[in-house]
Amino acid sequence: MTLALLALAAGAGASTPADPLESPMWEAHAKLLFGNDPVRFDPRVKVDFPQIAENQRSFPVAIDARAIPGVRRIVLMADLNPIPIAVDYRPTDSEAYLATRIKLDQRTPVRGAVQLASGEWLVSGGWIDAAGGGCSTPPVSRVKGDWADHLGEIRGEAWPVAGPVDASRLRLNFRHPMDTGLVDAIPTYHLERLTVSDAAGRELGRMEIWASVAEDPAITLIPHAAAGDMLAVDARDTNGRDYHAALAVARQSPLPR
Amino acid sequence: MMLTRRRLIAGSMALAAMPAQARRSYAIAPVPVADGIWMIHGADAPIEPANGGAIANIAIIATPAGTVLCDCGPSLAYGQALRKVAEGLTGQPVVRVYVTHLHPDHGMGIAAFDPRIVAALPGTIEALAREGRGYSDAMYRLLNDWMRGTELVLPGRPIAAGREEFGGRGLRLLALSGHSGADLALLDERSGVLIGGDLVFHDRAPSTPTADLPGWRASLDRLAREPHGGLIPGHGPFDPSGRAAIAQTRDWIDWLDEALTQAVQSGLDMVEAGELPIPARFSTMAAARYELQRSVSHLYPGLEARLLPRIDRPG
């Protein structure tokens, strides 16, 4: 009780509950990210990742908040990364689901925070142990020297999924070095924004992306699009280079949700 | 401050526990598997502080010319303890140490031996020169004090496929690949025992950080064709039949390849692929979920690059 009062007195803000993960950076990040919006920890935000960080340069994480109605925004973050936020996603007309791969610079909490229309944030996550250096070692394509040969290549596919509304799993794999700026003499250079639209140009989802997303970003979303629908993907990196892709949702029987 | 009786007891227990922790030692228990051959069964678990990294199987072979070891464990302390146990068992000094491949659970114990008696395939020595520092750093991070004093030492004796004889006991050397870029297997001519290195796992899920699955399959076919008796796998229990472990390893990598291919083709992300159900026939395999998730990390990006179509469009 005394500790809780002290934490309040220290300026954590009345809306920031104590962190179940006891992260040393929780209060600082919460203040910046959530401001004065109400925050609570909620296990319905499913933050899923492997039991081992086999590769600290590319650690897969999925945030599934489909059990929560009215999600407007999904933020993926790793508290102890020098670039804590990886993705800030707005599933405009999409399911509340996001999967990608991130860099890990050390043992850290990995979290998903989702914001509702009311402004309230629901947060969940867990600790993952990792060898150091995911953010501060050069990308493989920089070491190999072939990054520029493949820049702009996008692979992807979309499959219809079962559910109450028409939706499809969209998988996107970009080739991009995603330089963090923390490696000697290589300035920050990363994809910074991505939009998914339907054939009429209507936005289905958009995100801001930071350099803590792994090299060659792989992103999985579930936009509301039916079998046979066309999807357009537009992205831009920090040098102003534009990336475009188009694909049709496969005409096949829906995959399980 | 008042010291309660309970606090005093807790304090003295903590003090007593500390030196014991610093003096942790490896329990090395060789089991005879054939005439003049013993196997030390490593822990069928991930590399972790509880086992000090002693997860790989080791073979000890008594020959008239001295003791031969196949693989030598994860650290200087392990190598030193192994040498003592092996020489006590055979009454002869260690004259040859074979390192089957580059992975640190098999070879960091070289530090306890004269490099001139340590033999490995050239591909293994090159890979250790290139990757050894990284492996060493990772082992220190995971195992701390268990690794104390362990330096990266390269095998001093490159070998090729062929035969080595130790006072009349002949060993056939098979130069293969697939689990890594260079995998050595040994066949003891006298007993027919085959030492598979990490080409063969048994009731312990295979690991794939440096795997080439087609190459691995070809090597397993080759081992299956080679007439032999019992088999010492790289991990897991001795296989007296000499067949079961080869077939099981093959079954796992075939399943893994197909399951991950299907996962990419049906739109699963890496997290979901790591949570795929593991067939019941692999229920005897230790560390199966752990190795599946590692394999997803190793193999998934390559499968995606091969299987997902290009969708980029100009401007």
Side-chain angles (χ1 to χ4, degrees), chain A residues 48 50-51 54 97 101 130-131 153-157 159 169 171 173 220 244-246 255, chain B residues 141 265-270 272 275 289-290 293-294 298 304-305 308-313 315:
Chain A
D48 206 2
Q51 59 183 260
E54 175 67 7
Y97 179 94
R101 296 159 205 171
E153 291 182 10
I154 309 170
R155 293 180 182 274
E157 214 164 336
W159 300 260
R169 290 183 74 84
R171 301 213 57 226
N173 283 25
T220 305
H244 304 285
L255 302 169
Chain B
R141 193 186 82 81
Q265 288 174 332
S266 55
L268 299 195
D269 181 77
M270 273 169 77
E272 296 160 315
E275 291 168 0
R289 178 65 57 193
Y290 169 84
Q293 294 192 343
R294 292 184 73 205
H298 307 145
E304 288 172 334
L308 296 179
R310 284 280 292 274
I311 56 169
D312 43 289
R313 301 277 183 276

mmCIF file of all heavy atoms in Angstrom, chain A residues 48 50-51 54 97 101 130-131 153-157 159 169 171 173 220 244-246 255, chain B residues 141 265-270 272 275 289-290 293-294 298 304-305 308-313 315:
data_model
loop_
_atom_site.group_PDB
_atom_site.id
_atom_site.type_symbol
_atom_site.label_atom_id
_atom_site.label_comp_id
_atom_site.label_asym_id
_atom_site.label_seq_id
_atom_site.Cartn_x
_atom_site.Cartn_y
_atom_site.Cartn_z
ATOM 1 N N ASP A 48 1.452 -13.204 -28.326
ATOM 2 C CA ASP A 48 1.945 -14.565 -28.460
ATOM 3 C C ASP A 48 3.331 -14.542 -29.106
ATOM 4 O O ASP A 48 3.534 -13.821 -30.094
ATOM 5 C CB ASP A 48 0.950 -15.304 -29.370
ATOM 6 C CG ASP A 48 0.957 -16.786 -29.099
ATOM 7 O OD1 ASP A 48 1.685 -17.224 -28.193
ATOM 8 O OD2 ASP A 48 0.221 -17.502 -29.817
ATOM 9 N N PRO A 50 7.298 -17.180 -29.424
ATOM 10 C CA PRO A 50 7.933 -18.461 -29.085
ATOM 11 C C PRO A 50 8.576 -18.430 -27.705
ATOM 12 O O PRO A 50 8.871 -17.357 -27.168
ATOM 13 C CB PRO A 50 9.012 -18.642 -30.159
ATOM 14 C CG PRO A 50 8.699 -17.658 -31.228
ATOM 15 C CD PRO A 50 7.931 -16.548 -30.595
ATOM 16 N N GLN A 51 8.832 -19.617 -27.139
ATOM 17 C CA GLN A 51 9.430 -19.715 -25.805
ATOM 18 C C GLN A 51 10.905 -19.331 -25.815
ATOM 19 O O GLN A 51 11.484 -19.067 -24.768
ATOM 20 C CB GLN A 51 9.252 -21.132 -25.251
ATOM 21 C CG GLN A 51 9.870 -22.225 -26.124
ATOM 22 C CD GLN A 51 9.623 -23.641 -25.612
ATOM 23 O OE1 GLN A 51 10.466 -24.259 -24.982
ATOM 24 N NE2 GLN A 51 8.432 -24.161 -25.893
ATOM 25 N N GLU A 54 15.346 -17.460 -30.640
ATOM 26 C CA GLU A 54 16.421 -18.156 -31.358
ATOM 27 C C GLU A 54 17.290 -17.160 -32.117
ATOM 28 O O GLU A 54 18.486 -17.334 -32.235
ATOM 29 C CB GLU A 54 15.801 -19.187 -32.308
ATOM 30 C CG GLU A 54 16.769 -19.909 -33.211
ATOM 31 C CD GLU A 54 17.726 -20.830 -32.467
ATOM 32 O OE1 GLU A 54 17.555 -21.014 -31.247
ATOM 33 O OE2 GLU A 54 18.651 -21.351 -33.107
ATOM 34 N N TYR A 97 -5.837 -7.752 -35.332
ATOM 35 C CA TYR A 97 -4.788 -8.780 -35.360
ATOM 36 C C TYR A 97 -3.577 -8.226 -36.074
ATOM 37 O O TYR A 97 -3.698 -7.568 -37.113
ATOM 38 C CB TYR A 97 -5.299 -10.035 -36.084
ATOM 39 C CG TYR A 97 -4.277 -11.143 -36.174
ATOM 40 C CD1 TYR A 97 -4.242 -12.144 -35.221
ATOM 41 C CD2 TYR A 97 -3.335 -11.164 -37.205
ATOM 42 C CE1 TYR A 97 -3.292 -13.161 -35.287
ATOM 43 C CE2 TYR A 97 -2.387 -12.168 -37.276
ATOM 44 C CZ TYR A 97 -2.370 -13.167 -36.318
ATOM 45 O OH TYR A 97 -1.428 -14.157 -36.380
ATOM 46 N N ARG A 101 7.811 -9.476 -37.005
ATOM 47 C CA ARG A 101 9.059 -9.908 -36.342
ATOM 48 C C ARG A 101 9.822 -8.675 -35.924
ATOM 49 O O ARG A 101 9.894 -7.710 -36.693
ATOM 50 C CB ARG A 101 9.898 -10.762 -37.312
ATOM 51 C CG ARG A 101 9.171 -12.034 -37.665
ATOM 52 C CD ARG A 101 9.644 -12.691 -38.947
ATOM 53 N NE ARG A 101 8.535 -13.495 -39.463
ATOM 54 C CZ ARG A 101 8.515 -14.085 -40.649
ATOM 55 N NH1 ARG A 101 9.547 -13.965 -41.458
ATOM 56 N NH2 ARG A 101 7.466 -14.776 -41.029
ATOM 57 N N ALA A 130 16.815 -12.765 -24.257
ATOM 58 C CA ALA A 130 17.447 -12.674 -25.579
ATOM 59 C C ALA A 130 18.907 -12.311 -25.435
ATOM 60 O O ALA A 130 19.283 -11.564 -24.539
ATOM 61 C CB ALA A 130 16.749 -11.627 -26.432
ATOM 62 N N ALA A 131 19.728 -12.835 -26.332
ATOM 63 C CA ALA A 131 21.114 -12.389 -26.424
ATOM 64 C C ALA A 131 21.096 -10.942 -26.880
ATOM 65 O O ALA A 131 20.141 -10.508 -27.518
ATOM 66 C CB ALA A 131 21.861 -13.251 -27.426
ATOM 67 N N GLU A 153 11.516 -5.358 -53.379
ATOM 68 C CA GLU A 153 10.842 -6.638 -53.629
ATOM 69 C C GLU A 153 9.810 -6.888 -52.524
ATOM 70 O O GLU A 153 10.110 -6.758 -51.339
ATOM 71 C CB GLU A 153 11.850 -7.795 -53.648
ATOM 72 C CG GLU A 153 12.770 -7.756 -54.849
ATOM 73 C CD GLU A 153 13.749 -8.928 -54.892
ATOM 74 O OE1 GLU A 153 13.586 -9.887 -54.085
ATOM 75 O OE2 GLU A 153 14.671 -8.874 -55.711
ATOM 76 N N ILE A 154 8.623 -7.228 -52.934
ATOM 77 C CA ILE A 154 7.572 -7.558 -51.966
ATOM 78 C C ILE A 154 6.980 -8.908 -52.373
ATOM 79 O O ILE A 154 6.649 -9.122 -53.551
ATOM 80 C CB ILE A 154 6.446 -6.498 -51.948
ATOM 81 C CG1 ILE A 154 7.031 -5.091 -51.789
ATOM 82 C CG2 ILE A 154 5.446 -6.789 -50.831
ATOM 83 C CD1 ILE A 154 6.005 -3.978 -51.997
ATOM 84 N N ARG A 155 6.919 -9.809 -51.426
ATOM 85 C CA ARG A 155 6.214 -11.077 -51.643
ATOM 86 C C ARG A 155 4.984 -11.092 -50.760
ATOM 87 O O ARG A 155 4.978 -10.491 -49.689
ATOM 88 C CB ARG A 155 7.122 -12.267 -51.290
ATOM 89 C CG ARG A 155 8.289 -12.401 -52.227
ATOM 90 C CD ARG A 155 9.207 -13.565 -51.895
ATOM 91 N NE ARG A 155 10.306 -13.554 -52.839
ATOM 92 C CZ ARG A 155 10.258 -14.130 -54.045
ATOM 93 N NH1 ARG A 155 9.168 -14.796 -54.422
ATOM 94 N NH2 ARG A 155 11.279 -14.042 -54.867
ATOM 95 N N GLY A 156 3.957 -11.800 -51.198
ATOM 96 C CA GLY A 156 2.779 -11.855 -50.355
ATOM 97 C C GLY A 156 1.695 -12.707 -50.941
ATOM 98 O O GLY A 156 1.778 -13.157 -52.093
ATOM 99 N N GLU A 157 0.694 -12.934 -50.139
ATOM 100 C CA GLU A 157 -0.454 -13.718 -50.555
ATOM 101 C C GLU A 157 -1.592 -13.391 -49.591
ATOM 102 O O GLU A 157 -1.350 -12.912 -48.479
ATOM 103 C CB GLU A 157 -0.092 -15.213 -50.511
ATOM 104 C CG GLU A 157 -0.760 -16.027 -51.586
ATOM 105 C CD GLU A 157 -0.141 -17.402 -51.814
ATOM 106 O OE1 GLU A 157 1.056 -17.604 -51.499
ATOM 107 O OE2 GLU A 157 -0.869 -18.280 -52.311
ATOM 108 N N TRP A 159 -5.457 -15.043 -48.165
ATOM 109 C CA TRP A 159 -6.334 -16.213 -48.118
ATOM 110 C C TRP A 159 -7.603 -15.832 -47.351
ATOM 111 O O TRP A 159 -7.521 -15.201 -46.287
ATOM 112 C CB TRP A 159 -5.662 -17.349 -47.344
ATOM 113 C CG TRP A 159 -4.362 -17.850 -47.873
ATOM 114 C CD1 TRP A 159 -4.169 -18.970 -48.625
ATOM 115 C CD2 TRP A 159 -3.045 -17.297 -47.662
ATOM 116 N NE1 TRP A 159 -2.830 -19.140 -48.896
ATOM 117 C CE2 TRP A 159 -2.117 -18.135 -48.321
ATOM 118 C CE3 TRP A 159 -2.567 -16.162 -46.995
ATOM 119 C CZ2 TRP A 159 -0.741 -17.886 -48.327
ATOM 120 C CZ3 TRP A 159 -1.198 -15.913 -46.997
ATOM 121 C CH2 TRP A 159 -0.315 -16.765 -47.653
ATOM 122 N N ARG A 169 -6.608 -13.359 -44.514
ATOM 123 C CA ARG A 169 -5.255 -13.221 -43.959
ATOM 124 C C ARG A 169 -4.361 -12.681 -45.047
ATOM 125 O O ARG A 169 -4.246 -13.295 -46.107
ATOM 126 C CB ARG A 169 -4.699 -14.588 -43.543
ATOM 127 C CG ARG A 169 -5.341 -15.216 -42.364
ATOM 128 C CD ARG A 169 -4.626 -16.521 -42.060
ATOM 129 N NE ARG A 169 -3.328 -16.249 -41.461
ATOM 130 C CZ ARG A 169 -3.155 -16.017 -40.161
ATOM 131 N NH1 ARG A 169 -4.170 -16.049 -39.341
ATOM 132 N NH2 ARG A 169 -1.956 -15.764 -39.680
ATOM 133 N N ARG A 171 -0.529 -11.742 -45.937
ATOM 134 C CA ARG A 171 0.876 -11.841 -45.517
ATOM 135 C C ARG A 171 1.728 -11.033 -46.482
ATOM 136 O O ARG A 171 1.589 -11.155 -47.705
ATOM 137 C CB ARG A 171 1.340 -13.306 -45.483
ATOM 138 C CG ARG A 171 0.491 -14.155 -44.524
ATOM 139 C CD ARG A 171 1.321 -15.238 -43.871
ATOM 140 N NE ARG A 171 2.451 -14.652 -43.181
ATOM 141 C CZ ARG A 171 3.701 -15.116 -43.261
ATOM 142 N NH1 ARG A 171 3.978 -16.166 -43.987
ATOM 143 N NH2 ARG A 171 4.676 -14.521 -42.594
ATOM 144 N N ASN A 173 5.810 -9.760 -47.189
ATOM 145 C CA ASN A 173 7.236 -9.804 -46.854
ATOM 146 C C ASN A 173 7.986 -8.812 -47.735
ATOM 147 O O ASN A 173 8.039 -8.979 -48.950
ATOM 148 C CB ASN A 173 7.808 -11.210 -47.085
ATOM 149 C CG ASN A 173 7.430 -12.183 -45.988
ATOM 150 O OD1 ASN A 173 6.418 -11.999 -45.324
ATOM 151 N ND2 ASN A 173 8.229 -13.210 -45.799
ATOM 152 N N THR A 220 1.684 -9.699 -41.007
ATOM 153 C CA THR A 220 0.427 -10.409 -41.253
ATOM 154 C C THR A 220 -0.724 -9.602 -40.667
ATOM 155 O O THR A 220 -0.674 -9.211 -39.490
ATOM 156 C CB THR A 220 0.455 -11.814 -40.611
ATOM 157 O OG1 THR A 220 1.601 -12.514 -41.085
ATOM 158 C CG2 THR A 220 -0.801 -12.600 -40.984
ATOM 159 N N HIS A 244 4.894 -0.298 -53.798
ATOM 160 C CA HIS A 244 3.512 -0.636 -54.138
ATOM 161 C C HIS A 244 3.393 -2.129 -54.422
ATOM 162 O O HIS A 244 4.290 -2.717 -55.016
ATOM 163 C CB HIS A 244 3.060 0.131 -55.385
ATOM 164 C CG HIS A 244 3.211 1.611 -55.243
ATOM 165 N ND1 HIS A 244 2.344 2.364 -54.481
ATOM 166 C CD2 HIS A 244 4.144 2.466 -55.744
ATOM 167 C CE1 HIS A 244 2.740 3.635 -54.535
ATOM 168 N NE2 HIS A 244 3.827 3.716 -55.292
ATOM 169 N N ALA A 245 2.261 -2.673 -54.017
ATOM 170 C CA ALA A 245 1.970 -4.069 -54.346
ATOM 171 C C ALA A 245 0.476 -4.214 -54.536
ATOM 172 O O ALA A 245 -0.315 -3.425 -53.996
ATOM 173 C CB ALA A 245 2.455 -4.994 -53.247
ATOM 174 N N ALA A 246 0.090 -5.199 -55.323
ATOM 175 C CA ALA A 246 -1.339 -5.487 -55.524
ATOM 176 C C ALA A 246 -1.508 -6.995 -55.599
ATOM 177 O O ALA A 246 -0.646 -7.701 -56.124
ATOM 178 C CB ALA A 246 -1.822 -4.834 -56.816
ATOM 179 N N LEU A 255 -10.044 -20.454 -44.641
ATOM 180 C CA LEU A 255 -9.222 -21.086 -43.610
ATOM 181 C C LEU A 255 -9.923 -20.904 -42.263
ATOM 182 O O LEU A 255 -10.677 -19.949 -42.081
ATOM 183 C CB LEU A 255 -7.853 -20.406 -43.532
ATOM 184 C CG LEU A 255 -7.009 -20.381 -44.810
ATOM 185 C CD1 LEU A 255 -5.823 -19.439 -44.614
ATOM 186 C CD2 LEU A 255 -6.512 -21.778 -45.125
ATOM 187 N N ARG B 141 27.143 -16.627 -22.200
ATOM 188 C CA ARG B 141 25.931 -15.923 -21.774
ATOM 189 C C ARG B 141 24.945 -16.889 -21.116
ATOM 190 O O ARG B 141 24.347 -16.590 -20.090
ATOM 191 C CB ARG B 141 25.262 -15.244 -22.969
ATOM 192 C CG ARG B 141 24.192 -14.239 -22.586
ATOM 193 C CD ARG B 141 23.464 -13.695 -23.788
ATOM 194 N NE ARG B 141 22.428 -14.595 -24.240
ATOM 195 C CZ ARG B 141 21.209 -14.680 -23.705
ATOM 196 N NH1 ARG B 141 20.882 -13.913 -22.684
ATOM 197 N NH2 ARG B 141 20.330 -15.525 -24.165
ATOM 198 N N GLN B 265 2.149 -22.022 -47.019
ATOM 199 C CA GLN B 265 1.150 -22.028 -48.096
ATOM 200 C C GLN B 265 -0.267 -21.774 -47.596
ATOM 201 O O GLN B 265 -1.152 -21.501 -48.390
ATOM 202 C CB GLN B 265 1.210 -23.355 -48.861
ATOM 203 C CG GLN B 265 2.463 -23.436 -49.728
ATOM 204 C CD GLN B 265 2.635 -24.788 -50.390
ATOM 205 O OE1 GLN B 265 2.174 -25.791 -49.853
ATOM 206 N NE2 GLN B 265 3.304 -24.806 -51.527
ATOM 207 N N SER B 266 -0.488 -21.910 -46.298
ATOM 208 C CA SER B 266 -1.831 -21.618 -45.799
ATOM 209 C C SER B 266 -1.860 -20.345 -44.953
ATOM 210 O O SER B 266 -2.781 -20.111 -44.178
ATOM 211 C CB SER B 266 -2.396 -22.817 -45.029
ATOM 212 O OG SER B 266 -1.522 -23.195 -44.017
ATOM 213 N N GLY B 267 -0.835 -19.505 -45.109
ATOM 214 C CA GLY B 267 -0.911 -18.162 -44.563
ATOM 215 C C GLY B 267 -0.559 -18.025 -43.090
ATOM 216 O O GLY B 267 -0.842 -16.999 -42.478
ATOM 217 N N LEU B 268 0.080 -19.036 -42.508
ATOM 218 C CA LEU B 268 0.434 -18.911 -41.092
ATOM 219 C C LEU B 268 1.665 -18.028 -40.918
ATOM 220 O O LEU B 268 2.581 -18.041 -41.729
ATOM 221 C CB LEU B 268 0.726 -20.282 -40.470
ATOM 222 C CG LEU B 268 -0.396 -21.323 -40.453
ATOM 223 C CD1 LEU B 268 -0.050 -22.449 -39.495
ATOM 224 C CD2 LEU B 268 -1.718 -20.690 -40.041
ATOM 225 N N ASP B 269 1.680 -17.292 -39.836
ATOM 226 C CA ASP B 269 2.863 -16.522 -39.456
ATOM 227 C C ASP B 269 3.812 -17.429 -38.677
ATOM 228 O O ASP B 269 3.452 -18.546 -38.281
ATOM 229 C CB ASP B 269 2.421 -15.347 -38.579
ATOM 230 C CG ASP B 269 3.609 -14.503 -38.175
ATOM 231 O OD1 ASP B 269 4.075 -13.726 -39.025
ATOM 232 O OD2 ASP B 269 4.098 -14.635 -37.035
ATOM 233 N N MET B 270 5.044 -16.960 -38.427
ATOM 234 C CA MET B 270 6.024 -17.774 -37.699
ATOM 235 C C MET B 270 5.540 -18.186 -36.306
ATOM 236 O O MET B 270 5.790 -19.300 -35.861
ATOM 237 C CB MET B 270 7.352 -17.015 -37.571
ATOM 238 C CG MET B 270 8.265 -17.214 -38.759
ATOM 239 S SD MET B 270 9.675 -16.076 -38.772
ATOM 240 C CE MET B 270 10.738 -16.802 -37.580
ATOM 241 N N GLU B 272 2.514 -18.752 -35.299
ATOM 242 C CA GLU B 272 1.534 -19.833 -35.441
ATOM 243 C C GLU B 272 2.210 -21.124 -35.888
ATOM 244 O O GLU B 272 1.845 -22.212 -35.417
ATOM 245 C CB GLU B 272 0.461 -19.425 -36.444
ATOM 246 C CG GLU B 272 -0.353 -18.227 -35.971
ATOM 247 C CD GLU B 272 -1.078 -17.513 -37.088
ATOM 248 O OE1 GLU B 272 -0.470 -17.270 -38.152
ATOM 249 O OE2 GLU B 272 -2.255 -17.184 -36.892
ATOM 250 N N GLU B 275 3.516 -23.114 -33.212
ATOM 251 C CA GLU B 275 2.503 -23.716 -32.336
ATOM 252 C C GLU B 275 1.733 -24.836 -33.033
ATOM 253 O O GLU B 275 0.746 -25.350 -32.502
ATOM 254 C CB GLU B 275 1.549 -22.623 -31.844
ATOM 255 C CG GLU B 275 2.253 -21.688 -30.880
ATOM 256 C CD GLU B 275 1.478 -20.414 -30.570
ATOM 257 O OE1 GLU B 275 0.371 -20.251 -31.115
ATOM 258 O OE2 GLU B 275 1.998 -19.600 -29.790
ATOM 259 N N ARG B 289 8.850 -29.342 -28.876
ATOM 260 C CA ARG B 289 8.279 -28.010 -29.103
ATOM 261 C C ARG B 289 9.388 -26.964 -29.232
ATOM 262 O O ARG B 289 9.360 -26.077 -30.092
ATOM 263 C CB ARG B 289 7.320 -27.657 -27.957
ATOM 264 C CG ARG B 289 6.689 -26.287 -28.019
ATOM 265 C CD ARG B 289 5.768 -26.099 -29.198
ATOM 266 N NE ARG B 289 4.696 -27.080 -29.246
ATOM 267 C CZ ARG B 289 3.903 -27.286 -30.311
ATOM 268 N NH1 ARG B 289 4.074 -26.568 -31.413
ATOM 269 N NH2 ARG B 289 2.960 -28.207 -30.281
ATOM 270 N N TYR B 290 10.359 -27.086 -28.345
ATOM 271 C CA TYR B 290 11.502 -26.165 -28.343
ATOM 272 C C TYR B 290 12.228 -26.206 -29.695
ATOM 273 O O TYR B 290 12.492 -25.164 -30.304
ATOM 274 C CB TYR B 290 12.423 -26.584 -27.199
ATOM 275 C CG TYR B 290 13.785 -25.950 -27.141
ATOM 276 C CD1 TYR B 290 13.975 -24.709 -26.548
ATOM 277 C CD2 TYR B 290 14.910 -26.620 -27.629
ATOM 278 C CE1 TYR B 290 15.234 -24.150 -26.461
ATOM 279 C CE2 TYR B 290 16.172 -26.072 -27.541
ATOM 280 C CZ TYR B 290 16.330 -24.832 -26.964
ATOM 281 O OH TYR B 290 17.580 -24.278 -26.887
ATOM 282 N N GLN B 293 10.129 -24.712 -32.603
ATOM 283 C CA GLN B 293 10.152 -23.243 -32.640
ATOM 284 C C GLN B 293 11.499 -22.714 -33.133
ATOM 285 O O GLN B 293 11.559 -21.722 -33.861
ATOM 286 C CB GLN B 293 9.787 -22.673 -31.266
ATOM 287 C CG GLN B 293 8.332 -22.997 -30.909
ATOM 288 C CD GLN B 293 7.814 -22.244 -29.712
ATOM 289 O OE1 GLN B 293 8.573 -21.692 -28.911
ATOM 290 N NE2 GLN B 293 6.493 -22.224 -29.568
ATOM 291 N N ARG B 294 12.593 -23.400 -32.749
ATOM 292 C CA ARG B 294 13.899 -22.989 -33.287
ATOM 293 C C ARG B 294 13.920 -23.202 -34.800
ATOM 294 O O ARG B 294 14.399 -22.357 -35.551
ATOM 295 C CB ARG B 294 15.028 -23.804 -32.647
ATOM 296 C CG ARG B 294 15.246 -23.519 -31.168
ATOM 297 C CD ARG B 294 16.448 -24.304 -30.658
ATOM 298 N NE ARG B 294 17.697 -23.749 -31.146
ATOM 299 C CZ ARG B 294 18.826 -24.458 -31.281
ATOM 300 N NH1 ARG B 294 18.863 -25.737 -30.981
ATOM 301 N NH2 ARG B 294 19.920 -23.878 -31.706
ATOM 302 N N HIS B 298 14.818 -20.901 -38.083
ATOM 303 C CA HIS B 298 15.884 -21.192 -39.062
ATOM 304 C C HIS B 298 15.350 -21.304 -40.489
ATOM 305 O O HIS B 298 15.992 -20.849 -41.423
ATOM 306 C CB HIS B 298 16.571 -22.528 -38.731
ATOM 307 C CG HIS B 298 17.066 -22.638 -37.326
ATOM 308 N ND1 HIS B 298 17.045 -23.815 -36.616
ATOM 309 C CD2 HIS B 298 17.592 -21.718 -36.491
ATOM 310 C CE1 HIS B 298 17.521 -23.616 -35.402
ATOM 311 N NE2 HIS B 298 17.853 -22.344 -35.298
ATOM 312 N N GLU B 304 9.423 -18.902 -47.096
ATOM 313 C CA GLU B 304 8.599 -17.768 -47.555
ATOM 314 C C GLU B 304 9.166 -17.180 -48.845
ATOM 315 O O GLU B 304 8.418 -16.878 -49.778
ATOM 316 C CB GLU B 304 8.558 -16.678 -46.478
ATOM 317 C CG GLU B 304 7.720 -17.051 -45.270
ATOM 318 C CD GLU B 304 7.836 -16.045 -44.137
ATOM 319 O OE1 GLU B 304 8.875 -15.353 -44.033
ATOM 320 O OE2 GLU B 304 6.895 -15.948 -43.350
ATOM 321 N N ALA B 305 10.494 -17.042 -48.888
ATOM 322 C CA ALA B 305 11.108 -16.447 -50.078
ATOM 323 C C ALA B 305 10.893 -17.345 -51.301
ATOM 324 O O ALA B 305 10.825 -16.868 -52.426
ATOM 325 C CB ALA B 305 12.606 -16.220 -49.836
ATOM 326 N N LEU B 308 6.138 -17.710 -51.408
ATOM 327 C CA LEU B 308 5.221 -16.573 -51.577
ATOM 328 C C LEU B 308 5.565 -15.872 -52.888
ATOM 329 O O LEU B 308 6.725 -15.580 -53.161
ATOM 330 C CB LEU B 308 5.334 -15.588 -50.404
ATOM 331 C CG LEU B 308 4.915 -16.115 -49.028
ATOM 332 C CD1 LEU B 308 5.117 -15.028 -47.962
ATOM 333 C CD2 LEU B 308 3.460 -16.571 -49.023
ATOM 334 N N PRO B 309 4.544 -15.558 -53.716
ATOM 335 C CA PRO B 309 4.823 -14.916 -55.001
ATOM 336 C C PRO B 309 5.179 -13.440 -54.841
ATOM 337 O O PRO B 309 4.780 -12.797 -53.873
ATOM 338 C CB PRO B 309 3.511 -15.086 -55.766
ATOM 339 C CG PRO B 309 2.463 -15.238 -54.720
ATOM 340 C CD PRO B 309 3.117 -15.881 -53.530
ATOM 341 N N ARG B 310 5.925 -12.923 -55.817
ATOM 342 C CA ARG B 310 6.206 -11.482 -55.873
ATOM 343 C C ARG B 310 4.909 -10.736 -56.203
ATOM 344 O O ARG B 310 4.170 -11.136 -57.092
ATOM 345 C CB ARG B 310 7.226 -11.197 -56.988
ATOM 346 C CG ARG B 310 8.655 -11.576 -56.638
ATOM 347 C CD ARG B 310 9.356 -10.544 -55.781
ATOM 348 N NE ARG B 310 9.626 -9.297 -56.473
ATOM 349 C CZ ARG B 310 10.712 -9.089 -57.218
ATOM 350 N NH1 ARG B 310 11.614 -10.033 -57.374
ATOM 351 N NH2 ARG B 310 10.900 -7.919 -57.800
ATOM 352 N N ILE B 311 4.658 -9.663 -55.470
ATOM 353 C CA ILE B 311 3.440 -8.879 -55.714
ATOM 354 C C ILE B 311 3.749 -7.395 -55.901
ATOM 355 O O ILE B 311 2.840 -6.580 -56.018
ATOM 356 C CB ILE B 311 2.420 -9.049 -54.563
ATOM 357 C CG1 ILE B 311 3.055 -8.679 -53.219
ATOM 358 C CG2 ILE B 311 1.860 -10.462 -54.533
ATOM 359 C CD1 ILE B 311 2.042 -8.556 -52.083
ATOM 360 N N ASP B 312 5.057 -7.026 -55.920
ATOM 361 C CA ASP B 312 5.364 -5.597 -56.057
ATOM 362 C C ASP B 312 5.041 -5.117 -57.468
ATOM 363 O O ASP B 312 5.154 -5.837 -58.445
ATOM 364 C CB ASP B 312 6.820 -5.305 -55.676
ATOM 365 C CG ASP B 312 7.808 -6.310 -56.229
ATOM 366 O OD1 ASP B 312 7.816 -7.452 -55.735
ATOM 367 O OD2 ASP B 312 8.532 -5.969 -57.176
ATOM 368 N N ARG B 313 4.612 -3.859 -57.533
ATOM 369 C CA ARG B 313 4.240 -3.216 -58.797
ATOM 370 C C ARG B 313 5.013 -1.909 -58.908
ATOM 371 O O ARG B 313 5.232 -1.240 -57.903
ATOM 372 C CB ARG B 313 2.745 -2.870 -58.808
ATOM 373 C CG ARG B 313 1.812 -4.038 -58.617
ATOM 374 C CD ARG B 313 1.568 -4.765 -59.934
ATOM 375 N NE ARG B 313 0.625 -5.853 -59.781
ATOM 376 C CZ ARG B 313 0.964 -7.081 -59.365
ATOM 377 N NH1 ARG B 313 2.203 -7.361 -59.039
ATOM 378 N NH2 ARG B 313 0.051 -8.028 -59.253
ATOM 379 N N GLY B 315 5.588 2.060 -59.486
ATOM 380 C CA GLY B 315 4.858 3.293 -59.187
ATOM 381 C C GLY B 315 3.408 3.055 -59.004
ATOM 382 O O GLY B 315 2.554 3.816 -58.838
#
